[in-house]
Amino acid sequence: MGWRDHIKQEALLCEDEEEFEEDQYGLLEVGEALTQLEALQAAQAAGPTTASLEDRFAAVSEAVRTLRGASNDDKLRLYSLYKQALEGDCATKAPGMFDFAGAAKWKAWKSLAGTPAPAAMEQYVTFANELLAR
């Protein structure tokens, strides 16, 4: 069973779909994310020119919010690609030595220095789709 089927099954088990979405995924509405992802996948199946890179990036970014069970390394890679795609090279100072999570994020983002935004977006879309397909 794919992740979309699992989410749909869980939604059907709940009497109130809004309750399910709020309880399981906070502010993100699962139905909306699924609709965006399905539209994206249809556009990708139709051909590469149907959906722009920015549209695919935006849709996958929303869908990733529903991602569960990703490893910390996978989350760091998603984070660093996202930041590189939107902000470019890391220009912030390294976090303090006791901010372990912040240091890991900074290091992951810093490792992508010099990667152009479109390349980072494409890598993000490809990697996120791989994770979502698991």
Side-chain angles (χ1 to χ4, degrees), residues 56-93:
R56 293 184 294 139
F57 180 78
V60 171
S61 296
E62 285 299 315
V64 162
R65 293 176 144 192
T66 64
L67 185 63
R68 300 290 180 252
S71 71
N72 286 338
D73 288 339
D74 291 342
K75 290 176 188 177
L76 277 175
R77 183 167 178 207
L78 284 172
Y79 171 83
S80 61
L81 288 168
Y82 184 87
K83 293 289 276 187
Q84 187 70 21
L86 293 183
E87 297 183 28
D89 291 346
C90 178
T92 62
K93 294 194 299 187

PDB file of all heavy atoms in Angstrom, residues 56-93:
ATOM      1  N   ARG A  56       6.335  22.497 -10.007  1.00  0.00           N
ATOM      2  CA  ARG A  56       6.623  21.166  -9.462  1.00  0.00           C
ATOM      3  C   ARG A  56       7.257  21.277  -8.088  1.00  0.00           C
ATOM      4  O   ARG A  56       6.913  20.534  -7.165  1.00  0.00           O
ATOM      5  CB  ARG A  56       7.545  20.385 -10.408  1.00  0.00           C
ATOM      6  CG  ARG A  56       6.871  20.028 -11.720  1.00  0.00           C
ATOM      7  CD  ARG A  56       7.737  19.167 -12.619  1.00  0.00           C
ATOM      8  NE  ARG A  56       8.905  19.905 -13.065  1.00  0.00           N
ATOM      9  CZ  ARG A  56      10.135  19.391 -13.147  1.00  0.00           C
ATOM     10  NH1 ARG A  56      10.371  18.149 -12.812  1.00  0.00           N
ATOM     11  NH2 ARG A  56      11.143  20.128 -13.561  1.00  0.00           N
ATOM     12  N   PHE A  57       8.166  22.231  -7.925  1.00  0.00           N
ATOM     13  CA  PHE A  57       8.832  22.452  -6.646  1.00  0.00           C
ATOM     14  C   PHE A  57       7.815  22.825  -5.571  1.00  0.00           C
ATOM     15  O   PHE A  57       7.826  22.271  -4.468  1.00  0.00           O
ATOM     16  CB  PHE A  57       9.885  23.559  -6.803  1.00  0.00           C
ATOM     17  CG  PHE A  57      10.638  23.875  -5.552  1.00  0.00           C
ATOM     18  CD1 PHE A  57      11.663  23.060  -5.110  1.00  0.00           C
ATOM     19  CD2 PHE A  57      10.339  25.008  -4.810  1.00  0.00           C
ATOM     20  CE1 PHE A  57      12.380  23.352  -3.955  1.00  0.00           C
ATOM     21  CE2 PHE A  57      11.040  25.319  -3.656  1.00  0.00           C
ATOM     22  CZ  PHE A  57      12.064  24.488  -3.226  1.00  0.00           C
ATOM     23  N   ALA A  58       6.890  23.736  -5.888  1.00  0.00           N
ATOM     24  CA  ALA A  58       5.886  24.170  -4.926  1.00  0.00           C
ATOM     25  C   ALA A  58       4.960  23.022  -4.531  1.00  0.00           C
ATOM     26  O   ALA A  58       4.657  22.831  -3.346  1.00  0.00           O
ATOM     27  CB  ALA A  58       5.074  25.329  -5.501  1.00  0.00           C
ATOM     28  N   ALA A  59       4.530  22.238  -5.499  1.00  0.00           N
ATOM     29  CA  ALA A  59       3.617  21.125  -5.204  1.00  0.00           C
ATOM     30  C   ALA A  59       4.292  20.055  -4.356  1.00  0.00           C
ATOM     31  O   ALA A  59       3.714  19.552  -3.391  1.00  0.00           O
ATOM     32  CB  ALA A  59       3.095  20.522  -6.509  1.00  0.00           C
ATOM     33  N   VAL A  60       5.520  19.720  -4.696  1.00  0.00           N
ATOM     34  CA  VAL A  60       6.234  18.698  -3.930  1.00  0.00           C
ATOM     35  C   VAL A  60       6.576  19.213  -2.536  1.00  0.00           C
ATOM     36  O   VAL A  60       6.518  18.463  -1.562  1.00  0.00           O
ATOM     37  CB  VAL A  60       7.496  18.222  -4.689  1.00  0.00           C
ATOM     38  CG1 VAL A  60       8.365  17.341  -3.832  1.00  0.00           C
ATOM     39  CG2 VAL A  60       7.100  17.481  -5.946  1.00  0.00           C
ATOM     40  N   SER A  61       6.878  20.495  -2.419  1.00  0.00           N
ATOM     41  CA  SER A  61       7.165  21.077  -1.106  1.00  0.00           C
ATOM     42  C   SER A  61       5.973  20.924  -0.177  1.00  0.00           C
ATOM     43  O   SER A  61       6.134  20.642   1.015  1.00  0.00           O
ATOM     44  CB  SER A  61       7.533  22.553  -1.237  1.00  0.00           C
ATOM     45  OG  SER A  61       8.708  22.707  -1.966  1.00  0.00           O
ATOM     46  N   GLU A  62       4.775  21.128  -0.695  1.00  0.00           N
ATOM     47  CA  GLU A  62       3.558  20.946   0.107  1.00  0.00           C
ATOM     48  C   GLU A  62       3.354  19.476   0.446  1.00  0.00           C
ATOM     49  O   GLU A  62       2.997  19.129   1.569  1.00  0.00           O
ATOM     50  CB  GLU A  62       2.338  21.498  -0.623  1.00  0.00           C
ATOM     51  CG  GLU A  62       2.256  22.992  -0.607  1.00  0.00           C
ATOM     52  CD  GLU A  62       2.147  23.576   0.789  1.00  0.00           C
ATOM     53  OE1 GLU A  62       1.364  23.066   1.607  1.00  0.00           O
ATOM     54  OE2 GLU A  62       2.870  24.538   1.076  1.00  0.00           O
ATOM     55  N   ALA A  63       3.564  18.606  -0.517  1.00  0.00           N
ATOM     56  CA  ALA A  63       3.360  17.173  -0.291  1.00  0.00           C
ATOM     57  C   ALA A  63       4.344  16.624   0.738  1.00  0.00           C
ATOM     58  O   ALA A  63       4.001  15.719   1.506  1.00  0.00           O
ATOM     59  CB  ALA A  63       3.483  16.409  -1.606  1.00  0.00           C
ATOM     60  N   VAL A  64       5.550  17.164   0.774  1.00  0.00           N
ATOM     61  CA  VAL A  64       6.570  16.690   1.711  1.00  0.00           C
ATOM     62  C   VAL A  64       6.129  16.909   3.161  1.00  0.00           C
ATOM     63  O   VAL A  64       6.537  16.168   4.056  1.00  0.00           O
ATOM     64  CB  VAL A  64       7.933  17.379   1.418  1.00  0.00           C
ATOM     65  CG1 VAL A  64       8.896  17.274   2.574  1.00  0.00           C
ATOM     66  CG2 VAL A  64       8.546  16.766   0.179  1.00  0.00           C
ATOM     67  N   ARG A  65       5.283  17.891   3.375  1.00  0.00           N
ATOM     68  CA  ARG A  65       4.813  18.152   4.745  1.00  0.00           C
ATOM     69  C   ARG A  65       4.073  16.951   5.334  1.00  0.00           C
ATOM     70  O   ARG A  65       3.978  16.829   6.549  1.00  0.00           O
ATOM     71  CB  ARG A  65       3.911  19.370   4.773  1.00  0.00           C
ATOM     72  CG  ARG A  65       4.645  20.642   4.459  1.00  0.00           C
ATOM     73  CD  ARG A  65       3.685  21.783   4.405  1.00  0.00           C
ATOM     74  NE  ARG A  65       4.308  22.963   4.934  1.00  0.00           N
ATOM     75  CZ  ARG A  65       3.664  24.059   5.223  1.00  0.00           C
ATOM     76  NH1 ARG A  65       2.364  24.133   5.063  1.00  0.00           N
ATOM     77  NH2 ARG A  65       4.312  25.099   5.688  1.00  0.00           N
ATOM     78  N   THR A  66       3.532  16.090   4.486  1.00  0.00           N
ATOM     79  CA  THR A  66       2.818  14.904   4.966  1.00  0.00           C
ATOM     80  C   THR A  66       3.744  13.705   5.123  1.00  0.00           C
ATOM     81  O   THR A  66       3.306  12.654   5.564  1.00  0.00           O
ATOM     82  CB  THR A  66       1.672  14.525   4.001  1.00  0.00           C
ATOM     83  OG1 THR A  66       2.229  14.148   2.737  1.00  0.00           O
ATOM     84  CG2 THR A  66       0.698  15.669   3.832  1.00  0.00           C
ATOM     85  N   LEU A  67       4.987  13.874   4.764  1.00  0.00           N
ATOM     86  CA  LEU A  67       5.965  12.787   4.796  1.00  0.00           C
ATOM     87  C   LEU A  67       6.207  12.315   6.226  1.00  0.00           C
ATOM     88  O   LEU A  67       6.470  13.109   7.117  1.00  0.00           O
ATOM     89  CB  LEU A  67       7.279  13.261   4.170  1.00  0.00           C
ATOM     90  CG  LEU A  67       8.388  12.235   3.997  1.00  0.00           C
ATOM     91  CD1 LEU A  67       7.944  11.139   3.041  1.00  0.00           C
ATOM     92  CD2 LEU A  67       9.632  12.921   3.466  1.00  0.00           C
ATOM     93  N   ARG A  68       6.128  11.040   6.425  1.00  0.00           N
ATOM     94  CA  ARG A  68       6.378  10.441   7.740  1.00  0.00           C
ATOM     95  C   ARG A  68       7.423   9.336   7.593  1.00  0.00           C
ATOM     96  O   ARG A  68       7.478   8.652   6.583  1.00  0.00           O
ATOM     97  CB  ARG A  68       5.098   9.832   8.326  1.00  0.00           C
ATOM     98  CG  ARG A  68       3.977  10.836   8.525  1.00  0.00           C
ATOM     99  CD  ARG A  68       4.333  11.795   9.653  1.00  0.00           C
ATOM    100  NE  ARG A  68       3.277  12.762   9.877  1.00  0.00           N
ATOM    101  CZ  ARG A  68       3.355  14.047   9.558  1.00  0.00           C
ATOM    102  NH1 ARG A  68       4.418  14.523   9.005  1.00  0.00           N
ATOM    103  NH2 ARG A  68       2.363  14.868   9.796  1.00  0.00           N
ATOM    104  N   GLY A  69       8.237   9.195   8.590  1.00  0.00           N
ATOM    105  CA  GLY A  69       9.199   8.098   8.624  1.00  0.00           C
ATOM    106  C   GLY A  69      10.492   8.349   7.874  1.00  0.00           C
ATOM    107  O   GLY A  69      11.269   7.421   7.675  1.00  0.00           O
ATOM    108  N   ALA A  70      10.736   9.577   7.458  1.00  0.00           N
ATOM    109  CA  ALA A  70      11.997   9.874   6.779  1.00  0.00           C
ATOM    110  C   ALA A  70      13.125   9.920   7.808  1.00  0.00           C
ATOM    111  O   ALA A  70      12.925  10.341   8.943  1.00  0.00           O
ATOM    112  CB  ALA A  70      11.905  11.207   6.050  1.00  0.00           C
ATOM    113  N   SER A  71      14.302   9.480   7.394  1.00  0.00           N
ATOM    114  CA  SER A  71      15.452   9.508   8.299  1.00  0.00           C
ATOM    115  C   SER A  71      15.922  10.947   8.481  1.00  0.00           C
ATOM    116  O   SER A  71      15.581  11.834   7.693  1.00  0.00           O
ATOM    117  CB  SER A  71      16.592   8.659   7.727  1.00  0.00           C
ATOM    118  OG  SER A  71      17.158   9.300   6.602  1.00  0.00           O
ATOM    119  N   ASN A  72      16.729  11.161   9.505  1.00  0.00           N
ATOM    120  CA  ASN A  72      17.293  12.499   9.731  1.00  0.00           C
ATOM    121  C   ASN A  72      18.164  12.942   8.563  1.00  0.00           C
ATOM    122  O   ASN A  72      18.172  14.119   8.203  1.00  0.00           O
ATOM    123  CB  ASN A  72      18.073  12.538  11.038  1.00  0.00           C
ATOM    124  CG  ASN A  72      17.174  12.530  12.249  1.00  0.00           C
ATOM    125  OD1 ASN A  72      16.005  12.898  12.167  1.00  0.00           O
ATOM    126  ND2 ASN A  72      17.694  12.113  13.378  1.00  0.00           N
ATOM    127  N   ASP A  73      18.896  12.008   7.966  1.00  0.00           N
ATOM    128  CA  ASP A  73      19.731  12.344   6.814  1.00  0.00           C
ATOM    129  C   ASP A  73      18.865  12.790   5.631  1.00  0.00           C
ATOM    130  O   ASP A  73      19.211  13.733   4.924  1.00  0.00           O
ATOM    131  CB  ASP A  73      20.609  11.162   6.404  1.00  0.00           C
ATOM    132  CG  ASP A  73      21.729  10.901   7.384  1.00  0.00           C
ATOM    133  OD1 ASP A  73      22.097  11.822   8.152  1.00  0.00           O
ATOM    134  OD2 ASP A  73      22.253   9.770   7.404  1.00  0.00           O
ATOM    135  N   ASP A  74      17.742  12.099   5.431  1.00  0.00           N
ATOM    136  CA  ASP A  74      16.827  12.484   4.355  1.00  0.00           C
ATOM    137  C   ASP A  74      16.244  13.871   4.615  1.00  0.00           C
ATOM    138  O   ASP A  74      16.140  14.689   3.708  1.00  0.00           O
ATOM    139  CB  ASP A  74      15.688  11.468   4.212  1.00  0.00           C
ATOM    140  CG  ASP A  74      16.163  10.128   3.681  1.00  0.00           C
ATOM    141  OD1 ASP A  74      17.269  10.058   3.100  1.00  0.00           O
ATOM    142  OD2 ASP A  74      15.424   9.140   3.853  1.00  0.00           O
ATOM    143  N   LYS A  75      15.873  14.139   5.863  1.00  0.00           N
ATOM    144  CA  LYS A  75      15.324  15.450   6.218  1.00  0.00           C
ATOM    145  C   LYS A  75      16.361  16.549   6.025  1.00  0.00           C
ATOM    146  O   LYS A  75      16.045  17.636   5.534  1.00  0.00           O
ATOM    147  CB  LYS A  75      14.827  15.448   7.666  1.00  0.00           C
ATOM    148  CG  LYS A  75      13.593  14.602   7.874  1.00  0.00           C
ATOM    149  CD  LYS A  75      13.220  14.581   9.348  1.00  0.00           C
ATOM    150  CE  LYS A  75      12.113  13.611   9.645  1.00  0.00           C
ATOM    151  NZ  LYS A  75      11.809  13.554  11.082  1.00  0.00           N
ATOM    152  N   LEU A  76      17.603  16.269   6.382  1.00  0.00           N
ATOM    153  CA  LEU A  76      18.671  17.258   6.188  1.00  0.00           C
ATOM    154  C   LEU A  76      18.897  17.541   4.711  1.00  0.00           C
ATOM    155  O   LEU A  76      19.107  18.688   4.316  1.00  0.00           O
ATOM    156  CB  LEU A  76      19.973  16.766   6.820  1.00  0.00           C
ATOM    157  CG  LEU A  76      20.138  16.995   8.309  1.00  0.00           C
ATOM    158  CD1 LEU A  76      21.420  16.333   8.800  1.00  0.00           C
ATOM    159  CD2 LEU A  76      20.152  18.479   8.642  1.00  0.00           C
ATOM    160  N   ARG A  77      18.856  16.500   3.908  1.00  0.00           N
ATOM    161  CA  ARG A  77      19.046  16.701   2.470  1.00  0.00           C
ATOM    162  C   ARG A  77      17.905  17.540   1.898  1.00  0.00           C
ATOM    163  O   ARG A  77      18.143  18.463   1.115  1.00  0.00           O
ATOM    164  CB  ARG A  77      19.141  15.361   1.751  1.00  0.00           C
ATOM    165  CG  ARG A  77      19.418  15.519   0.284  1.00  0.00           C
ATOM    166  CD  ARG A  77      19.819  14.238  -0.378  1.00  0.00           C
ATOM    167  NE  ARG A  77      20.015  14.477  -1.800  1.00  0.00           N
ATOM    168  CZ  ARG A  77      19.870  13.566  -2.723  1.00  0.00           C
ATOM    169  NH1 ARG A  77      19.568  12.333  -2.379  1.00  0.00           N
ATOM    170  NH2 ARG A  77      20.041  13.854  -3.983  1.00  0.00           N
ATOM    171  N   LEU A  78      16.664  17.227   2.287  1.00  0.00           N
ATOM    172  CA  LEU A  78      15.526  18.024   1.833  1.00  0.00           C
ATOM    173  C   LEU A  78      15.679  19.480   2.271  1.00  0.00           C
ATOM    174  O   LEU A  78      15.462  20.401   1.487  1.00  0.00           O
ATOM    175  CB  LEU A  78      14.213  17.454   2.370  1.00  0.00           C
ATOM    176  CG  LEU A  78      13.686  16.201   1.702  1.00  0.00           C
ATOM    177  CD1 LEU A  78      12.484  15.664   2.472  1.00  0.00           C
ATOM    178  CD2 LEU A  78      13.316  16.465   0.253  1.00  0.00           C
ATOM    179  N   TYR A  79      16.036  19.674   3.538  1.00  0.00           N
ATOM    180  CA  TYR A  79      16.207  21.023   4.082  1.00  0.00           C
ATOM    181  C   TYR A  79      17.257  21.802   3.295  1.00  0.00           C
ATOM    182  O   TYR A  79      17.024  22.932   2.884  1.00  0.00           O
ATOM    183  CB  TYR A  79      16.604  20.946   5.559  1.00  0.00           C
ATOM    184  CG  TYR A  79      17.005  22.274   6.143  1.00  0.00           C
ATOM    185  CD1 TYR A  79      16.052  23.167   6.606  1.00  0.00           C
ATOM    186  CD2 TYR A  79      18.344  22.653   6.216  1.00  0.00           C
ATOM    187  CE1 TYR A  79      16.415  24.410   7.127  1.00  0.00           C
ATOM    188  CE2 TYR A  79      18.718  23.878   6.732  1.00  0.00           C
ATOM    189  CZ  TYR A  79      17.750  24.752   7.191  1.00  0.00           C
ATOM    190  OH  TYR A  79      18.112  25.971   7.694  1.00  0.00           O
ATOM    191  N   SER A  80      18.414  21.189   3.089  1.00  0.00           N
ATOM    192  CA  SER A  80      19.502  21.909   2.430  1.00  0.00           C
ATOM    193  C   SER A  80      19.167  22.221   0.971  1.00  0.00           C
ATOM    194  O   SER A  80      19.453  23.327   0.498  1.00  0.00           O
ATOM    195  CB  SER A  80      20.806  21.118   2.527  1.00  0.00           C
ATOM    196  OG  SER A  80      20.687  19.861   1.877  1.00  0.00           O
ATOM    197  N   LEU A  81      18.530  21.304   0.270  1.00  0.00           N
ATOM    198  CA  LEU A  81      18.141  21.565  -1.110  1.00  0.00           C
ATOM    199  C   LEU A  81      17.078  22.665  -1.191  1.00  0.00           C
ATOM    200  O   LEU A  81      17.114  23.515  -2.074  1.00  0.00           O
ATOM    201  CB  LEU A  81      17.633  20.283  -1.778  1.00  0.00           C
ATOM    202  CG  LEU A  81      18.697  19.241  -2.102  1.00  0.00           C
ATOM    203  CD1 LEU A  81      18.057  17.920  -2.484  1.00  0.00           C
ATOM    204  CD2 LEU A  81      19.634  19.743  -3.191  1.00  0.00           C
ATOM    205  N   TYR A  82      16.145  22.642  -0.243  1.00  0.00           N
ATOM    206  CA  TYR A  82      15.091  23.658  -0.200  1.00  0.00           C
ATOM    207  C   TYR A  82      15.696  25.048   0.026  1.00  0.00           C
ATOM    208  O   TYR A  82      15.382  25.997  -0.686  1.00  0.00           O
ATOM    209  CB  TYR A  82      14.103  23.302   0.907  1.00  0.00           C
ATOM    210  CG  TYR A  82      12.910  24.208   0.991  1.00  0.00           C
ATOM    211  CD1 TYR A  82      11.770  23.967   0.223  1.00  0.00           C
ATOM    212  CD2 TYR A  82      12.897  25.312   1.841  1.00  0.00           C
ATOM    213  CE1 TYR A  82      10.664  24.794   0.296  1.00  0.00           C
ATOM    214  CE2 TYR A  82      11.795  26.146   1.916  1.00  0.00           C
ATOM    215  CZ  TYR A  82      10.677  25.880   1.146  1.00  0.00           C
ATOM    216  OH  TYR A  82       9.586  26.708   1.222  1.00  0.00           O
ATOM    217  N   LYS A  83      16.570  25.156   1.022  1.00  0.00           N
ATOM    218  CA  LYS A  83      17.193  26.440   1.329  1.00  0.00           C
ATOM    219  C   LYS A  83      18.052  26.928   0.152  1.00  0.00           C
ATOM    220  O   LYS A  83      18.032  28.107  -0.181  1.00  0.00           O
ATOM    221  CB  LYS A  83      18.046  26.341   2.593  1.00  0.00           C
ATOM    222  CG  LYS A  83      17.258  26.094   3.868  1.00  0.00           C
ATOM    223  CD  LYS A  83      16.462  27.300   4.266  1.00  0.00           C
ATOM    224  CE  LYS A  83      17.326  28.244   5.055  1.00  0.00           C
ATOM    225  NZ  LYS A  83      16.603  29.371   5.629  1.00  0.00           N
ATOM    226  N   GLN A  84      18.798  26.028  -0.455  1.00  0.00           N
ATOM    227  CA  GLN A  84      19.653  26.407  -1.585  1.00  0.00           C
ATOM    228  C   GLN A  84      18.802  26.870  -2.762  1.00  0.00           C
ATOM    229  O   GLN A  84      19.142  27.845  -3.432  1.00  0.00           O
ATOM    230  CB  GLN A  84      20.542  25.229  -1.999  1.00  0.00           C
ATOM    231  CG  GLN A  84      21.568  25.568  -3.049  1.00  0.00           C
ATOM    232  CD  GLN A  84      22.686  26.463  -2.536  1.00  0.00           C
ATOM    233  OE1 GLN A  84      22.931  26.547  -1.342  1.00  0.00           O
ATOM    234  NE2 GLN A  84      23.357  27.145  -3.436  1.00  0.00           N
ATOM    235  N   ALA A  85      17.675  26.206  -2.986  1.00  0.00           N
ATOM    236  CA  ALA A  85      16.797  26.567  -4.096  1.00  0.00           C
ATOM    237  C   ALA A  85      16.166  27.938  -3.886  1.00  0.00           C
ATOM    238  O   ALA A  85      16.022  28.708  -4.834  1.00  0.00           O
ATOM    239  CB  ALA A  85      15.714  25.507  -4.266  1.00  0.00           C
ATOM    240  N   LEU A  86      15.786  28.251  -2.657  1.00  0.00           N
ATOM    241  CA  LEU A  86      15.078  29.502  -2.398  1.00  0.00           C
ATOM    242  C   LEU A  86      15.984  30.670  -2.020  1.00  0.00           C
ATOM    243  O   LEU A  86      15.684  31.814  -2.348  1.00  0.00           O
ATOM    244  CB  LEU A  86      14.032  29.302  -1.301  1.00  0.00           C
ATOM    245  CG  LEU A  86      12.872  28.388  -1.671  1.00  0.00           C
ATOM    246  CD1 LEU A  86      11.871  28.320  -0.532  1.00  0.00           C
ATOM    247  CD2 LEU A  86      12.183  28.848  -2.942  1.00  0.00           C
ATOM    248  N   GLU A  87      17.079  30.397  -1.312  1.00  0.00           N
ATOM    249  CA  GLU A  87      17.915  31.482  -0.801  1.00  0.00           C
ATOM    250  C   GLU A  87      19.317  31.520  -1.394  1.00  0.00           C
ATOM    251  O   GLU A  87      20.051  32.476  -1.166  1.00  0.00           O
ATOM    252  CB  GLU A  87      18.003  31.393   0.728  1.00  0.00           C
ATOM    253  CG  GLU A  87      16.664  31.581   1.403  1.00  0.00           C
ATOM    254  CD  GLU A  87      16.759  31.567   2.910  1.00  0.00           C
ATOM    255  OE1 GLU A  87      17.823  31.933   3.451  1.00  0.00           O
ATOM    256  OE2 GLU A  87      15.769  31.173   3.543  1.00  0.00           O
ATOM    257  N   GLY A  88      19.710  30.475  -2.087  1.00  0.00           N
ATOM    258  CA  GLY A  88      21.066  30.434  -2.636  1.00  0.00           C
ATOM    259  C   GLY A  88      22.068  29.992  -1.581  1.00  0.00           C
ATOM    260  O   GLY A  88      21.720  29.363  -0.590  1.00  0.00           O
ATOM    261  N   ASP A  89      23.320  30.354  -1.794  1.00  0.00           N
ATOM    262  CA  ASP A  89      24.391  29.933  -0.881  1.00  0.00           C
ATOM    263  C   ASP A  89      24.154  30.429   0.545  1.00  0.00           C
ATOM    264  O   ASP A  89      23.650  31.535   0.751  1.00  0.00           O
ATOM    265  CB  ASP A  89      25.740  30.449  -1.371  1.00  0.00           C
ATOM    266  CG  ASP A  89      26.188  29.757  -2.646  1.00  0.00           C
ATOM    267  OD1 ASP A  89      25.601  28.714  -3.002  1.00  0.00           O
ATOM    268  OD2 ASP A  89      27.119  30.269  -3.288  1.00  0.00           O
ATOM    269  N   CYS A  90      24.549  29.610   1.501  1.00  0.00           N
ATOM    270  CA  CYS A  90      24.415  29.939   2.925  1.00  0.00           C
ATOM    271  C   CYS A  90      25.348  31.095   3.265  1.00  0.00           C
ATOM    272  O   CYS A  90      26.558  31.012   3.075  1.00  0.00           O
ATOM    273  CB  CYS A  90      24.759  28.718   3.768  1.00  0.00           C
ATOM    274  SG  CYS A  90      24.688  28.987   5.531  1.00  0.00           S
ATOM    275  N   ALA A  91      24.750  32.168   3.774  1.00  0.00           N
ATOM    276  CA  ALA A  91      25.545  33.349   4.123  1.00  0.00           C
ATOM    277  C   ALA A  91      25.462  33.654   5.616  1.00  0.00           C
ATOM    278  O   ALA A  91      25.928  34.703   6.061  1.00  0.00           O
ATOM    279  CB  ALA A  91      25.068  34.547   3.320  1.00  0.00           C
ATOM    280  N   THR A  92      24.872  32.745   6.383  1.00  0.00           N
ATOM    281  CA  THR A  92      24.744  32.962   7.821  1.00  0.00           C
ATOM    282  C   THR A  92      25.943  32.392   8.549  1.00  0.00           C
ATOM    283  O   THR A  92      26.633  31.505   8.042  1.00  0.00           O
ATOM    284  CB  THR A  92      23.461  32.305   8.371  1.00  0.00           C
ATOM    285  OG1 THR A  92      23.533  30.891   8.155  1.00  0.00           O
ATOM    286  CG2 THR A  92      22.226  32.856   7.690  1.00  0.00           C
ATOM    287  N   LYS A  93      26.191  32.900   9.753  1.00  0.00           N
ATOM    288  CA  LYS A  93      27.280  32.374  10.574  1.00  0.00           C
ATOM    289  C   LYS A  93      26.878  31.008  11.129  1.00  0.00           C
ATOM    290  O   LYS A  93      25.692  30.728  11.289  1.00  0.00           O
ATOM    291  CB  LYS A  93      27.584  33.320  11.730  1.00  0.00           C
ATOM    292  CG  LYS A  93      28.148  34.657  11.266  1.00  0.00           C
ATOM    293  CD  LYS A  93      28.753  35.466  12.390  1.00  0.00           C
ATOM    294  CE  LYS A  93      27.743  35.810  13.462  1.00  0.00           C
ATOM    295  NZ  LYS A  93      28.264  36.731  14.483  1.00  0.00           N
TER     296      LYS A  93
END
